[in-house]
Amino acid sequence: MTRPAAATQGPSRAPGTTYWLEHAWLDNHVEPGVAVDVADGRITDVRTGAESPPPGATALRGLTLPGLANAHSHAFHRALRSTVQVGSGTFWTWREIMYGVAARLTPDSYHALARAVYAEMALAGITSVGEFHYLHHAPGGTPYDNPNAMGEALIAAAAEAGIRITLLDTAYLASGISERPGGAPPDRHQLRFSDGTADAWAERASDLQDSDHARVGAAIHSVRAVPAEQLATVAAWAETRRAPLHVHLSEQTAENDACLAVHGRTPARLLADHGVLGARTTGVHNTHLTDEDIALLGTTRTGTCMCPTTERDLADGIGPATRLRHAGSPLSLGSDSHAVIDLLEEARAMELDERLRSRSRGHWTAAALLQAATADGHAAIGWPEAGRIEQGALADLVTIALDSVRTAGPPPRLGAETAVFAASAADVRHTVVGGRHVVRDGIHALVPDVPAALAASIAALHG
């Protein structure tokens, strides 16, 4: 609900912080001069027609959007940036390099790396992250004294970086699809990922707790990593807790071929037959789908999280995002392997990749892409009260400069188009999470030197 600024002047205004937004994205249009009152981490009032900052208000100059949601992250993949760009190969050769980094992580080193990565996200305007977490145990698969030491390190890292996290604790039990019960055994790299069975995974994951900045969800790594007879256990765990459930789906054609060979059906159909699909479930990538798969996801309201910068980096292909949208699958966006961390680039790529494939323009409006990066992304990771600038919503805001070399020139009324099709993470000027000013004028308030923190934590893994 919004109302003119004059309507709430007087002693009845709730105590707290007031932000003045030079331009704000409200109800799918740009509104100039908006005052937003905040108390206890939520927006208590939104007032339009405020031509100048009210007394004591903090001015956010530029275009302010709801905070961005990064719906799919593997934080430790940030250590692969550039190192995997040497030479050629496939997803499967890239995976071997990834395993090498995973083998060297400890709870302490993962905390340091994730804190820096989540701070980088805050600098990019990301206020919530869905962390698809499968690195659970010590090398060799032995549980730590605290079996959730790695997951709790990620939760602590997000708090220290000032953003929200949904820890999508991931079941990863097998190395591939097999006719043998339990699937193919994990290889030596994957022993750290596996709890042995879905029941053991559920027992460990049940000890993780929500907090003010963290929520716990579930993930099925993929149909190749969770045997078919154990999929329902993970789905039931998420259903009991009304928690989000994510799954890598049809990212590779090899996964589809193996699933058809062993189960006689596609991964999407296998998931449907075991009760995995539904409105709280999100398929990540959804790249190589059949017509029936697309209809299944749409009719069950299963979401789609696209990660275009990773999908093109790994040469995975372009997923049928527009067809999924028309079928009824809500869209969210993620930076996945963090080839870059830039949700504006992910949004832009959705439209531009489709233009390359179809040789036509205008598949997604800027408004639709911002919806995917904000409200729909937050809903996909279990924060439905975030992603909007309205009374009662979480007070998460990101301000994009409209006067940089990339964004200067267009009128503010085209701010959404400027943000999606011209701006980058470098244009994020302010990030506010729960009313707290985490990034101010491009400087992180909690992690003094984010580049140094990234460099040190990554060097420790490659040393």
Side-chain angles (χ1 to χ4, degrees):
M1 174 181 172
T2 62
R3 49 183 170 171
T8 59
Q9 293 177 357
S12 62
R13 187 184 306 170
T17 301
T18 298
Y19 287 98
W20 179 76
L21 318 182
E22 184 181 28
H23 303 282
W25 179 244
L26 297 180
D27 300 323
N28 288 338
H29 74 281
V30 176
E31 183 75 33
V34 176
V36 174
D37 294 333
V38 175
D40 298 323
R42 292 188 179 258
I43 295 172
T44 58
D45 203 5
V46 178
R47 295 169 285 126
T48 59
E51 297 181 359
S52 60
T58 299
L60 303 181
R61 298 190 180 276
L63 173 67
T64 298
L65 309 170
L68 306 179
N70 187 351
H72 189 66
S73 163
H74 303 293
F76 77 91
H77 289 190
R78 175 61 176 83
L80 301 173
R81 189 180 293 180
S82 298
T83 64
V84 291
Q85 303 300 345
V86 178
S88 61
T90 66
F91 167 86
W92 307 102
T93 55
W94 169 91
R95 190 175 71 159
E96 292 303 311
I97 302 172
M98 179 270 287
Y99 283 157
V101 171
R104 293 189 286 273
L105 284 162
T106 67
D108 287 343
S109 63
Y110 203 5
H111 172 268
L113 174 62
R115 174 178 176 268
V117 173
Y118 296 152
E120 181 182 358
M121 291 186 192
L123 289 172
I126 293 164
T127 56
S128 300
V129 60
E131 182 62 37
F132 199 104
H133 167 59
Y134 55 83
L135 186 52
H136 302 305
H137 305 301
T142 302
Y144 290 102
D145 290 341
N146 172 4
N148 286 307
M150 295 294 263
E152 290 177 4
L154 293 167
I155 290 171
E160 292 176 29
I163 70 171
R164 306 181 196 280
I165 185 171
T166 299
L167 188 75
L168 297 162
D169 196 277
T170 303
Y172 193 132
L173 309 172
S175 62
I177 300 171
S178 171
E179 293 181 356
R180 60 177 286 175
D187 66 24
R188 63 185 179 86
H189 302 294
Q190 298 161 341
L191 290 172
R192 297 195 72 176
F193 310 159
S194 178
D195 291 290
T197 67
D199 286 333
W201 165 84
E203 182 178 0
R204 178 187 53 74
S206 293
D207 289 336
L208 290 161
Q209 301 297 319
D210 291 353
S211 65
D212 287 346
H213 84 287
R215 291 179 181 170
V216 179
I220 292 165
H221 180 273
S222 56
V223 297
R224 69 177 187 270
V226 177
E229 68 274 11
Q230 300 188 57
L231 292 169
T233 300
V234 184
W237 188 96
E239 175 65 24
T240 297
R241 288 157 183 76
R242 314 296 289 175
L245 173 62
H246 287 214
V247 55
H248 290 132
L249 178 57
S250 290
E251 182 178 6
Q252 299 292 322
T253 55
E255 174 184 299
N256 289 7
D257 294 342
C259 194
L260 285 166
V262 173
H263 299 295
R265 67 201 83 177
T266 65
R269 170 51 70 183
L270 185 69
L271 294 173
D273 290 348
H274 289 275
V276 174
L277 302 186
R280 283 195 309 281
T281 300
T282 296
V284 181
H285 304 304
N286 294 356
T287 308
H288 303 286
L289 301 178
T290 67
D291 292 346
E292 182 192 9
D293 293 340
I294 292 170
L296 269 175
L297 297 179
T299 55
T300 57
R301 296 294 295 169
T302 300
T304 293
C305 180
M306 291 292 185
C307 308
T309 65
T310 290
E311 289 149 7
R312 67 193 184 196
D313 181 59
L314 297 179
D316 286 343
I318 301 172
T322 54
R323 294 180 63 202
L324 284 160
R325 177 191 59 180
H326 292 310
S329 177
L331 177 72
S332 56
L333 299 167
S335 62
D336 193 358
S337 69
H338 313 312
V340 296
I341 294 177
D342 188 340
L343 260 289
L344 300 175
E345 174 62 24
E346 304 293 347
R348 174 162 53 246
M350 286 296 304
E351 170 65 19
L352 299 188
D353 286 357
E354 191 62 32
R355 291 181 186 183
L356 284 173
R357 176 165 58 186
S358 66
R359 292 185 293 174
S360 63
R361 306 173 80 234
H363 304 277
W364 302 84
T365 65
L369 293 169
L370 287 179
Q371 176 81 8
T374 57
D376 288 351
H378 279 99
I381 58 173
W383 295 92
E385 67 272 48
R388 302 177 305 281
I389 302 176
E390 64 181 40
Q391 189 177 46
L394 291 171
D396 297 352
L397 308 170
V398 54
T399 303
I400 296 168
L402 294 179
D403 57 0
S404 76
V405 293
R406 288 165 294 277
T407 61
R413 63 181 174 81
L414 296 179
E417 288 75 12
T418 301
V420 171
F421 292 106
S424 76
D427 296 309
V428 172
R429 182 173 284 164
H430 302 284
T431 303
V432 174
V433 183
R436 183 186 193 185
H437 212 148
V438 175
V439 173
R440 188 188 298 267
D441 294 320
I443 304 298
H444 202 290
L446 305 176
V447 182
D449 190 337
V450 177
L454 286 163
S457 59
I458 293 169
L461 298 177
H462 292 293

